[in-house]
Amino acid sequence: MILMLAIGLATGCVYALIAVGYSLEYRTTGVVNFSEGNYVMVGGFSTYWFVANTNLPYPLAIAAGVAVAALCGVVLWTFVVRPLWRRRSPTYVVLLGTIVFGAILSILALLLLGSMPQTLPPWIPGFSLSLGDSRIDGQYIVVIVTTLILMVAIAATLKFTSLGRAMRACAASRDTSELLGISPERMGLISFASTAGLGGLAGAMITPAQFTSSDVGLSFGVFGFVAAVLGGFGTMQGALVGGVLLGLTNAFVARYISSNYQTVIAFSLLLVLLAVRPQGITGKQWEEAEG
């Protein structure tokens, strides 16, 4: 039971970080980026490549993997989203662009690194936690603690810094922010790069406890989006609550029912909640949550 809780919480934290990416990009640019889950794959796979093929110390290999993921976000914004954004293209066209970009990342990972699942060394060698008869892999603890720190740091950045205020201004009105001297395109670039890096870090964190492969991005992206909607799309609290709820649900379904039913039950949970509370669990707007 305790081990299932740890696995569910850690996996839920990854979903929460992806959910934050969805929410932050949407509130800053109005774009729902369905490449978010693939950044987790890119971060994990890139870190694995640097560990296996270079002499970089492990912390630098992790940083390099996160940087590759952030670069993917920059490429997506610069060459796909921004040109469509400038033309004020229909939402479904921009959405399709992000889906295709994510598919390209998955195919490139398959071609360059193969189809075999890969894992990474733990961030803290030999670290584990014993609770009763259960021994919890220390990497799960690392994921949970790091995610909480990141959530606090992101919330503080949005609330107390000029960058955060500028991003929130773009969220409120793209045209008004331009009149105030704030560049929506610059804020879009920052949001796409930072959320991609956040997803890459999530991938580098969870891969030592589980594994990564070229096709994990789709499931992470779907569950991250479900988590964002479950918790309340556009809120930090919603991302964390939705991610943890979904992670725990998936962990216990896999343990006591079957992993084949994880997606079915996750979507069923989403449909039930939307019918009862369509605004999600927290039901707050981004500005209210952060201001």
Side-chain angles (χ1 to χ4, degrees):
M1 175 68 76
I2 294 176
L3 181 58
M4 287 299 102
L5 283 172
I7 294 173
L9 286 172
T11 307
C13 284
V14 174
Y15 296 156
L17 292 175
I18 298 170
V20 167
Y22 278 118
S23 297
L24 184 58
E25 287 177 343
Y26 179 76
R27 290 299 179 182
T28 305
T29 66
V31 174
V32 177
N33 176 16
F34 275 107
S35 293
E36 286 294 337
N38 285 286
Y39 297 145
V40 178
M41 177 274 295
V42 170
F45 245 159
S46 297
T47 302
Y48 165 77
W49 187 89
F50 283 111
V51 170
N53 296 281
T54 71
N55 294 320
L56 285 176
Y58 193 22
L60 290 182
I62 294 170
V66 173
V68 171
L71 180 61
C72 289
V74 172
V75 170
L76 174 59
W77 170 258
T78 303
F79 297 104
V80 179
V81 175
R82 186 175 67 179
L84 295 173
W85 207 52
R86 285 176 172 175
R87 299 187 188 100
R88 298 187 183 271
S89 300
T91 301
Y92 67 86
V93 174
V94 184
L95 178 64
L96 178 61
T98 67
I99 293 173
V100 171
F101 184 79
I104 291 173
L105 290 180
S106 180
I107 294 170
L108 285 176
L110 178 63
L111 294 175
L112 295 174
L113 296 172
S115 59
M116 291 297 294
Q118 304 293 346
T119 189
L120 288 168
W123 283 23
I124 306 175
F127 173 48
S128 63
L129 183 64
S130 295
L131 292 174
D133 296 330
S134 300
R135 180 173 293 275
I136 302 172
D137 188 333
Q139 190 64 31
Y140 290 124
I141 307 300
V142 170
V143 173
I144 295 168
V145 172
T146 304
T147 297
L148 293 176
I149 293 172
L150 287 171
M151 287 288 190
V152 172
I154 294 169
T157 299
L158 291 171
K159 187 171 184 178
F160 298 114
T161 68
S162 57
L163 173 62
R165 288 189 289 271
M167 296 181 79
R168 288 160 58 198
C170 289
S173 172
R174 175 178 167 184
D175 294 329
T176 303
S177 64
E178 287 182 314
L179 294 175
L180 295 174
I182 299 170
S183 169
E185 291 191 4
R186 178 172 173 267
M187 293 301 104
L189 175 62
I190 291 173
S191 68
F192 269 70
S194 59
T195 56
L198 195 64
L201 180 59
M205 285 195 297
I206 199 62
T207 298
Q210 299 177 0
F211 66 89
T212 191
S213 64
S214 59
D215 59 354
V216 301
L218 177 60
S219 61
F220 275 120
V222 169
F223 285 128
F225 185 72
V226 171
V229 178
L230 276 176
F233 200 79
T235 70
M236 294 290 294
Q237 297 95 325
L240 185 58
V241 170
V244 168
L245 175 61
L246 191 58
L248 290 173
T249 299
N250 282 350
F252 282 96
V253 168
R255 174 65 177 83
Y256 295 108
I257 303 177
S258 170
S259 59
N260 295 328
Y261 290 94
Q262 285 180 322
T263 303
V264 172
I265 292 177
F267 282 129
S268 298
L269 180 65
L270 176 62
L271 289 176
V272 170
L273 183 67
L274 289 178
V276 176
R277 190 176 173 83
Q279 72 270 38
I281 294 172
T282 61
K284 298 178 182 178
Q285 297 297 318
W286 180 270
E287 293 82 6
E288 294 173 349
E290 302 305 332

